[in-house]
Every structure is written in C-alpha cells, then in structure tokens.
Amino acid sequence: MNVPPTRRPLRVGVQLPEIEWPVRWPDLAAMIRAIEDLGFDSIWTGDHFLYHMADGTPDAPWDAWSVLAAAAAITSRVGLGPLVTPLGFYNPAVLAKKAATVDEISGGRLVLGLGAGWNEVEFRGYGVPFDHRISRFEEAFTIVRKLLQEGEIDFEGEYYSARDCQLVPQSRPGGPPIMIGSAGPRMLEITLPYVSAWNVWHTDTGNSPDGVAPLRARVAAACAGVGRDPAAVDATVVVLVRMPGGVGRRQGDGYVDTAPNPLQGPPEVIAEELRAYARAGVAEVQLVVDPITIASLEALAPALELLDRG
C-alpha cells in the first residue's frame, strides 16, 4: 500500500512484540504487513538474546537482525530498525556488514539504532563481556560508523580490531542513518558528532510530552560541546500506549510494565497527545502497544488519520 503524502506532524512507528506472547513467524509477518498497510511509518525490533523472568524461567525474542531482514523483504515503504542493538553483542565489523545487507534488502529504509546494553543476564549467558561497556561501545561504534559511512577502516583498539577492513558492497553512499539509544552524557559525547537521531524509553520522559524538554536541553548542551547543531539530530521517544484489553506489558526485566501513565483513550485523545510530542520537538515516536495485536493496531489507525489532517 502506497500511503500518499500527509500533514502528519511526526513519524509514528511500532515496536514488534518481544515476549508479550509466544509469537511465531506467521504472526510476526502478518503484523509487519498490517503495520505498513495501516499507515504507520516504521517498524522496530528489540535486540535481546535472553531474559530471566521473575519466576526464574528464561524467555527471549527471535533474532532481531533475521527479523529485520525478513521484514525488509515483505514491506516496501516503512522504515526499519533495531530498538536498539547493544554493540557488545556483535563483532562490530560483522554488525556493519549485517546493517548494510538489511539496508540493501529494504531499499535504503534501515535506521541503525545502537546502544551499550543493560541486561547482564544475556551478556553472561552468551559469553559477552559486560565490563567497561561504554569504553567497549566507543571502540565498536568507531568501527561500525566508519565502515558504514566511509567504507573502510584500519583500527587496533584495546577491545576490538579491524585491520585493513573494507565494507563491500555498500548499500548507499554514507550508509544508513544511525540512532543512539541513550541520553547519557558520555554516550552523547561519543556519538553526537555522527548520529542522525537520539532515542529514549518511555520511562525517561514519564511517558509524557512534558518530559521531553529536559532531555532535549541535555542533548543540545552535548551538541554544543561537540560542535553539532542540535537541529541536525532528531529527537525520538518511545511511548507506551494502553489499548482495550491491556493489562501491562510483560518485559525483559522479569516483571510486567504497569507504568502509571500509559497513553490511552479514544483516537482523538491519542492523536492530540502525539501532536503534543511533535510540539515538544519530537520527530518520531515508537509506540509500545499493550496489548500488541493486530486488533490494537487497527484501533490505533484512526488516530493516524486524525494526525494526517493536521
């Protein structure tokens, strides 16, 4: 479905289900197609290997990069990206190769969301070092962004190396845009000279447009410190949306997310709240929908239509 140009004040994406219910590929494929057909702007995947739930049982979503490649092949319009990929999970040069490949399959629709990771369980379980996460991130980020943006690197660091490495073929000049999933001072200092967007979780804003201003001020100050125009870096935020039947989102820290301030109500209320995010300077929201079902997405579609009217 080709969606015509609209007056939508910001992009509206959806995060695919992780562990909310036992999702299989036919269900994911149907949801991916529905997200595009209903007029959403982007599709996002959590990138996690392992959760230990509160009762001690293990759980995890499917491999994010395999899902992104498949989603790229069965869609034609929506943006795609991980929300976000912990750089420590991957050899950074190999991750750059994965990102370029998914970007190519999608026809240049990938946004590469990156972070340092937080869940020690999956680092330990998969034999990935959890120490010095930001220092490791800095080296890995250098390798990934230089390969994607410049096509080659010769690097020897304390944690990673990529000697006389070339990324060929490349999906597009300059590579896919990079989004940093953090508003931490050191992470911003490392990434702001190079990224196209920053992102925070709904808990960082209190799931409210009113919580955006302090974060934008922090990012603007960090931009000034590295000589970057804040207007050149998009603000993006995750928004938790409660739809009929929602009882809280099963999440990776082992508990059910029953945040006290989910966005909920009729389409007019949801559309107006999303307009408020746009007025707060947000370029894109990624909706975490409770419950995350096609029926919920269909119930959200009228809010998109209201946004499109201006």
Side-chain angles (χ1 to χ4, degrees), residues 115-201:
W118 58 271
N119 181 19
E120 186 173 1
V121 165
E122 55 195 338
F123 281 76
R124 183 175 65 249
Y126 278 76
V128 180
F130 193 68
D131 64 317
H132 307 291
R133 281 181 304 132
I134 309 304
S135 295
R136 293 178 185 275
F137 174 91
E138 184 171 18
E139 288 190 5
F141 179 75
T142 297
I143 294 171
V144 169
R145 61 103 180 159
K146 284 185 74 71
L147 283 173
L148 289 173
Q149 295 176 350
E150 301 175 17
E152 60 183 359
I153 190 173
D154 189 19
F155 180 87
E156 184 71 48
E158 182 176 355
Y159 306 105
Y160 299 102
S161 65
R163 303 312 310 262
D164 191 25
C165 182
Q166 293 82 36
L167 180 62
V168 288
Q170 291 182 276
S171 58
R172 50 175 149 161
I178 300 174
M179 179 182 76
I180 179 61
S182 175
R186 190 172 171 205
M187 291 286 280
L188 292 176
E189 180 182 4
I190 292 167
T191 60
L192 280 179
Y194 311 104
V195 299
S196 299
W198 56 273
N199 175 264
V200 291
W201 198 246

Side-chain angles (χ1 to χ4, degrees), residues 196-253:
S196 299
W198 56 273
N199 175 264
V200 291
W201 198 246
H202 63 81
T203 51
D204 296 307
T205 64
N207 208 51
S208 169
D210 294 338
V212 173
L215 294 167
R216 288 193 69 208
R218 183 190 305 173
V219 173
C223 281
V226 299
R228 186 83 186 275
D229 180 0
V233 188
D234 282 350
T236 75
V237 303
V238 174
V239 176
L240 176 64
V241 180
R242 178 74 45 79
M243 300 301 292
V247 294
R249 176 179 178 265
R250 189 168 183 261
Q251 57 184 25
D253 57 9

Side-chain angles (χ1 to χ4, degrees), residues 9 26-27 32 78 98 102 108 113 131 151 157 174 195 204 211 214 243 286 288 309:
D27 301 312
I32 287 164
V78 288
K98 287 177 177 288
V102 171
D131 64 317
V195 299
D204 296 307
M243 300 301 292
Q286 295 97 351
V288 171
R309 297 174 192 170

